[in-house]
Amino acid sequence: AQSVTQLGSHVSVSEGALVLLRCNYSSSVPPYLFWYVQYPNQGLQLLLKYTTGATLVKGINGFEAEFKKSETSFHLTKPSAHMSDAAEYFCAVSPQGGKLIFGQGTELSVKP
Amino acid sequence: DGGITQSPKYLFRKEGQNVTLSCEQNLNHDAMYWYRQDPGQGLRLIYYSQIVNDFQKGDIAEGYSVSREKKESFPLTVTSAQKNPTAFYLCASSIAGTGYPDGYTFGSGTRLTVV
């Protein structure tokens, strides 16, 4: 069965520091990959996605992610954290032809 | 602009009552989904529908019911059989077919509290 693992349910960084949120998936074929962000009491908003082509994808708010097939990973990064980045982040995969499978989420805290 | 509208944003239910959460989309999406979100438990799929007049149970369907009479609407009823209904409920929609290259579009959620 397909699965998504987000390493670390809570990540804390200082403002201006690098943000790295980890996501690994299990899939026999490269799936579609997504990162979503959720602010308190709101729905999920798409940050970025990988379907085909360039493995480094850029999203909104300065985030980017790199699809590494050999490592079955799709880690989310941002060079410099801002206080407004504090939120919960979900990685999701869509095995081609299948519904999205979500990770458990990572809560990002940003310290001033 | 196209999107998904969930209402109400906050809902209070007394013990033993059924309540219905509304979800409407104008994205012309075929598929719609209901998720439940509890702290630290991620998203859990309740029901989904890929076409009008058809829907399937997700992982935690017990105590919930849905209908899909119109493409745009997918209401969720939380019945009195749901023993712990206090949670944040999210509705989503997507195109249906081979693969989901656009992912899902989510509504802003309904927070249900039992009083």
Side-chain angles (χ1 to χ4, degrees):
Chain A
Q2 311 287 343
S3 68
V4 180
T5 302
Q6 291 185 237
L7 295 176
S9 58
H10 291 89
V11 170
S12 182
V13 301
S14 297
E15 192 172 19
L18 171 72
V19 175
L20 171 60
L21 304 183
R22 301 177 187 272
C23 175
N24 288 88
Y25 65 91
S26 66
S27 175
S28 57
V29 296
Y32 299 146
L33 297 157
F34 307 85
W35 275 100
Y36 286 85
V37 61
Q38 184 183 30
Y39 299 101
N41 291 312
Q42 295 187 27
L44 277 67
Q45 177 184 1
L46 183 65
L47 264 181
L48 49 78
K49 66 179 180 181
Y50 169 80
T51 53
T52 60
T55 57
L56 181 64
V57 293
K58 297 185 184 298
I60 61 173
N61 301 338
F63 284 93
E64 61 183 35
E66 186 171 12
F67 168 54
K68 292 188 176 180
K69 182 179 177 181
S70 61
E71 298 177 9
T72 60
S73 68
F74 191 56
H75 301 331
L76 181 71
T77 60
K78 181 174 180 177
S80 177
H82 191 272
M83 296 296 291
S84 61
D85 295 326
E88 188 152 21
Y89 293 81
F90 290 92
C91 180
V93 302
S94 171
Q96 292 188 19
K99 300 186 304 298
L100 262 64
I101 300 167
F102 289 88
Q104 288 292 93
T106 297
E107 185 174 352
L108 176 66
S109 301
V110 182
K111 298 175 292 186
Chain B
D1 289 338
I4 298 182
T5 301
Q6 289 188 241
S7 62
K9 187 158 183 70
Y10 298 95
L11 186 57
F12 298 89
R13 191 193 93 168
K14 293 182 180 179
E15 296 275 358
Q17 276 186 339
N18 292 355
V19 290
T20 298
L21 284 60
S22 171
C23 179
E24 303 275 335
Q25 55 98 359
N26 60 3
L27 298 165
N28 200 31
H29 285 168
D30 292 303
M32 297 186 74
Y33 313 83
W34 274 106
Y35 287 91
R36 171 178 172 144
Q37 190 175 24
D38 296 280
Q41 295 197 43
L43 301 173
R44 293 186 288 170
L45 183 63
I46 305 172
Y47 270 98
Y48 65 100
S49 167
Q50 295 188 303
I51 194 169
V52 174
N53 292 323
D54 188 43
F55 47 83
Q56 288 77 42
K57 293 181 179 180
D59 301 318
I60 57 164
E62 185 175 351
Y64 300 96
S65 66
V66 293
S67 63
R68 187 84 187 278
E69 298 176 0
K70 300 186 300 181
K71 186 176 184 179
E72 300 80 16
S73 178
F74 192 41
L76 173 74
T77 297
V78 184
T79 75
S80 57
Q82 171 49 240
K83 297 307 178 188
N84 185 22
T86 295
F88 191 56
Y89 292 86
L90 285 164
C91 180
S93 70
S94 73
I95 60 172
T98 303
Y100 294 78
D102 294 325
Y104 295 172
T105 301
F106 283 84
S108 58
T110 292
R111 184 164 297 281
L112 173 63
T113 303
V114 173
V115 296

